[in-house]
Amino acid sequence: MPRDSKLAQKDCIFCKIAAGQIPCIKIYEDKNILAFLDIGPVSDGHTLIVPKEHYTKVEDSKPEVLSAVAAVLPKITAAVAAATGADGYNVLCNNGRAAGQLVEHLHFHIIPRKTGDGVFNHWPAFKYPQGKAEKIAEAIRAKL
Ligand code: AMP
Ligand code: ZN
């Protein structure tokens, strides 16, 4: 990742929102973080938590930026859930096109859920064939 990746990106919609150049329905703001309602919600109260600095993915982000997100996550998730009467919520972070990331500025979705709402169903879990999990774990550890 280039060194200037954290600088505001000229054509990034979330950088523009963070800079106040594009409006949003704001939930929370501090020095590092902005939280606002998603313009295309999948449930009432669907909120985005966005670091003000531009990073594309989790792996590009400074630990301090992720810490700033983590620091506000409990109070924002609690408020969103309480205000919407949610039975639960998903915290989602799509990384890369293949994972459904459309806006290439790191963000975390908080999606309030009601029992039986059908917003997401269970994902297609499978079982590893014999020996495959160990091989994959070894490959991941080798990249740490
Ligand atoms: P993702 O697919 O994880 O990149 O999600 C991007 C999200 O940003 C989508 O849920 C969009 O509805 C939302 N979004 C895009 N533009 C805006 C905007 N101007 N204000 C609020 N949310 C937005
Ligand atoms: Zn950006």
Side-chain angles (χ1 to χ4, degrees), residues 4-60:
D4 67 350
S5 65
K6 73 183 175 68
L7 300 176
Q9 303 283 296
K10 198 161 73 66
D11 297 320
C12 173
I13 187 142
F14 287 176
C15 282
K16 288 182 178 161
I17 291 175
Q21 292 162 1
I22 289 181
C24 70
I25 300 179
K26 195 188 295 182
I27 298 289
Y28 173 86
E29 181 171 16
D30 66 27
K31 191 162 65 71
N32 303 302
I33 298 295
L34 189 61
F36 51 89
L37 290 185
D38 194 297
I39 208 172
V42 298
S43 66
D44 283 347
H46 181 168
T47 295
L48 300 175
I49 299 182
V50 178
K52 289 181 176 176
E53 287 187 351
H54 182 98
Y55 296 93
T56 303
K57 296 181 188 174
V58 167
E59 75 208 56
D60 307 320

Side-chain angles (χ1 to χ4, degrees), residues 33-117:
I33 298 295
L34 189 61
F36 51 89
L37 290 185
D38 194 297
I39 208 172
V42 298
S43 66
D44 283 347
H46 181 168
T47 295
L48 300 175
I49 299 182
V50 178
K52 289 181 176 176
E53 287 187 351
H54 182 98
Y55 296 93
T56 303
K57 296 181 188 174
V58 167
E59 75 208 56
D60 307 320
S61 307
K62 280 195 303 199
E64 301 91 294
V65 168
L66 297 173
S67 297
V69 173
V72 298
L73 207 43
K75 77 172 164 191
I76 297 178
T77 52
V80 169
T84 58
D87 302 318
Y89 54 87
N90 299 100
V91 178
L92 279 182
C93 178
N94 299 324
N95 288 261
R97 279 287 156 93
Q101 185 178 17
L102 298 176
V103 176
E104 293 183 335
H105 179 131
L106 183 73
H107 56 279
F108 294 79
H109 297 257
I110 301 168
I111 301 173
R113 300 295 305 275
K114 297 251 167 73
T115 304
D117 63 11

